[in-house]
Each structure stands twice: as structure tokens, then as C-alpha cells.
Amino acid sequence: MKRSLFVMLFLCSVGSTAFAEPKCTSPSTYSDLIACAELRSPEVQAAQLEVDRSKALIDAAGQWRNPELSAETFQGKVGGQNQGETDISLAVPIELGGKISARKDVARGGLSFAEAKLYESRAKVRSQILLKLHRLRQVAHEQEIAEEAIQTFTKLIGQYSKRPGLSPEQQISFSVYQLSKSEYELKRSATAEEIVGLDAYLKLNLGVGADQARAVLPLSPKTWPKIGPTGNPRPSPRQQILQAELDTAKAELSLAQSEAWPTLTVGPSMKMQTEAGQSNNLMGVNVSLPLPLFNVNGGARAAAAAGVKLNETRRELGLREQTLRREELRKVYEQSVQSMTTSLSHEDIEKRHRDAEKLFTKGVVPSALVIEAHRTSFELEKTRHERELRAIEALLDLYAIDGNILEVNL
């Protein structure tokens, strides 16, 4: 079970940073928020307790069975004379066939599985909280765009309201500005509702609200890491789980084979006799051994062997599925990054919008262009945010498959 030891050492090494006491009440970086999420997560806590329980089960599996003490005493008269006899024996069970080591191997397989589930839970929590933080940054920016559009249309409506008379074209522009303002007020309301949902999520999982988290939100990625066609040799959480299940099945087969061997009980015996006032003590050895005539545990061995084949097949299919999934995620990630690289950046969109805003205030731009400029800016930012979030999600899934999500600087 070298894999179990490797997984344990790996988790301890990467866990020393993640499980260090973070600043949950006053976070200074978003990494503190991620560490808080790991510590507070019920799923991670349950997985950690399962690891502790599995460690205790290894010691329990290696325990020897307790010896048995038996005693028999007889008193009576034989031929008119008092006679007594007492038999005392101590029987120590000795399990043959490697039963203890087989039980410990089964327990070690359970520990490997529990450690893999802990790794998987931590990776899942990290991905979820990081995606929520990025989304909070995005939706806050979308709300700012909606607010800016509302201010622009409010200003234009105010300018038209001050005029003593409006031409038919100006009357239509005035009406369209009012409609556009109402539209962006609805969009602002939608972003506010999403922020409320994110605020509730962060309070539940971090103990801090959206307002406090905004001070340490991750920035929009400027550069994106390169992802190769093949991953790291380190096993992913899914791969660790599949391997742990296979190791456990093999250990259960060894245990079933060992159960075919009988358990020998052996120990000292003493017989104490009294007859006609005389005492005699006899010493001996007792041995007990069940004979495997009717049952050699064939059914359990066949079932355990089938379990090994089943888990071998599951592991092969799981690894094949993971390979295909990784290639799919890599393509999604590269396409998302490519689309963001070739499209306008946040800075370019804002600069072009500011330049157009100057023309709006001078009144030299038709109302249709004013409305279209704001709509395009808002929709472009929203679409870019969707691609950005999809790229981050794919990248985190790739890190999880490559088995280094707990180590990389997110």
C-alpha cells in the first residue's frame, strides 16, 4: 500500500498551507477567503473526520483476539471418600493464513479512499469559492455599467425636459431615452439580486459578506497559463479514488483467501485433583483446530475475485473517461482564452465608451447611436464575463485532473 503512504504525505505537505489559520474575519487576500472556505466547509470537515476514523480502523484491524480462560470443577464422593477435580485452561487464538495483515490491508485501502475523498472535497471547495469570487467581481462591474447608463439617460432626459418645445424627432428621442433608462434599471435590479445571492453564499461558507469580500476580490486574469496536451504524473482525486477502490478489492480478496485457513487456539492446561486428602496437580497443553471439511470460504473468495475484476474495469474506464474529459476541457479553455485575446479587453471597451460618452453629452450623436452604444457595451462586457468565467472553470477542472489544484497559485 505504498500509494496510501504517498497520498498521506502529499496531503500533509500541501495541506500545511491551506489549513493554516486564515484571517477569516478580516481577510487581507482572496487566498484567505479560500482557506476559510476549506476550514468551514461541512463536506471537508466530514471528509477529514472520515480520514481520522480510517486511521483508527487500521490499528483496530491489527489487534489480536483476546485469549479465552475456561475452568471446570467437580466435587463428590467416590466409594465413601471425598473427591474433587478442577480443570483450568487458557486458549490463545492464533490466526493462520495472514488474516491480521489482510485485515490491515483492507483498512489501509479504506484510508486511501478517505484521503482521496478529502482531496476531492478540498479541490471542489476551492473551485466553487474561487468561481463565486470572480463572479462577484464581474457582476459588480456589470452593475457599474448599468448605473452609468442610467446616469447618462437621466442626464439626457433632464436636458430634453428643460427645453420649451421638442420637435417630433426629439419627442421620439425623449421617449426612447425614458424606455432605455427603465431597461437599465431592470438590469441593475437583476445584478443586485445576483449580488444578494452571492452575499448569502459567502456569509454561509465564509462568514463574511459581499461588501467585505469586495476589498480582496481576485483581479481579471491578464495572462493565462499554457496547458499541455498531457497532464502531470501526479494522480487526480478521481484517479486516487479509483486506485483506492481497486486496492481495497485486492485486500478483500486476500482476506477472503486467508479466511479459508482455520484459527488455531493453543495454550496451557492444569488439572487439580483431590482424593482421600491427597492433592495431585497435572500440567498439559490444549489445542483446538477447526477442520475445513464443509467450508473453505469458496463463495467469499469468488465474490472477492469478481470484485477485483469489477474495480479493475472501473479504473480502466475511469482513466479513459478522464483522459477524454481533460482533452475536452483543454479545448474549451484554449478556445475561451483565444476568444478573449482577440476581442476587446475591459480597458478597451471602457475607453471607447468614455470617448462616445463625450459625444453624447455634446448632443452631436443621434439617439439611436446613444442607445446602441450603451447596449453594445453592456452586452459585450457580459459576454466577455461569461467566456472568462468558463475559462477559469475549465482551468480549475484541468488543475484538478492534473492533481495540482492544491498547489497552484490561484
Side-chain angles (χ1 to χ4, degrees), residues 112-148:
S112 297
F113 181 83
E115 289 171 336
K117 293 297 289 185
L118 174 60
Y119 187 104
E120 184 182 53
S121 298
R122 293 180 60 195
K124 180 180 177 181
V125 169
R126 281 197 164 209
S127 296
Q128 288 178 341
I129 196 64
L130 191 61
L131 288 173
K132 293 294 184 182
L133 293 176
H134 275 288
R135 183 53 191 156
L136 178 60
R137 169 183 56 79
Q138 292 177 346
V139 73
H141 183 56
E142 291 172 9
Q143 190 177 51
E144 291 175 357
I145 297 176
E147 287 281 3
E148 188 273 334

Side-chain angles (χ1 to χ4, degrees), residues 95-212:
E95 297 180 288
L96 304 177
K99 292 186 179 67
I100 294 179
S101 61
R103 285 200 304 268
K104 292 181 71 174
D105 286 343
V106 172
R108 290 190 186 99
L111 175 60
S112 297
F113 181 83
E115 289 171 336
K117 293 297 289 185
L118 174 60
Y119 187 104
E120 184 182 53
S121 298
R122 293 180 60 195
K124 180 180 177 181
V125 169
R126 281 197 164 209
S127 296
Q128 288 178 341
I129 196 64
L130 191 61
L131 288 173
K132 293 294 184 182
L133 293 176
H134 275 288
R135 183 53 191 156
L136 178 60
R137 169 183 56 79
Q138 292 177 346
V139 73
H141 183 56
E142 291 172 9
Q143 190 177 51
E144 291 175 357
I145 297 176
E147 287 281 3
E148 188 273 334
I150 292 172
Q151 293 176 4
T152 299
F153 289 120
T154 300
K155 186 184 299 183
L156 293 173
I157 291 171
Q159 291 176 355
Y160 276 77
S161 300
K162 295 177 182 179
R163 296 180 181 179
L166 297 177
S167 66
E169 181 180 352
Q170 291 174 335
Q171 290 178 2
I172 294 176
S173 298
F174 180 67
S175 178
V176 171
Y177 288 153
Q178 289 177 320
L179 294 174
S180 297
K181 178 185 176 183
S182 297
E183 178 185 1
Y184 280 95
E185 285 175 343
L186 292 175
K187 291 181 178 180
R188 181 181 61 182
S189 177
T191 58
E193 288 180 3
E194 187 172 358
I195 290 176
V196 169
L198 291 170
D199 179 74
Y201 178 89
L202 294 177
K203 286 181 178 178
L204 178 63
N205 292 275
L206 299 178
V208 299
D211 292 337
Q212 191 173 0

Side-chain angles (χ1 to χ4, degrees), residues 3 10 26 48 78 99 133 192 200 219-220 245 254 339 376 406:
R3 183 176 296 273
F10 174 69
S26 56
Q48 182 62 58
V78 178
K99 292 186 179 67
L133 293 176
L219 300 176
S220 177
E245 290 175 339
S254 298
S339 63
T376 303
L406 300 185

Side-chain angles (χ1 to χ4, degrees), residues 44-59 110-111 114-115 118:
V44 172
Q45 292 176 7
Q48 182 62 58
L49 292 174
E50 184 61 29
V51 169
D52 297 338
R53 188 185 75 90
S54 299
K55 290 179 181 179
L57 288 176
I58 295 179
D59 294 333
L111 175 60
E115 289 171 336
L118 174 60

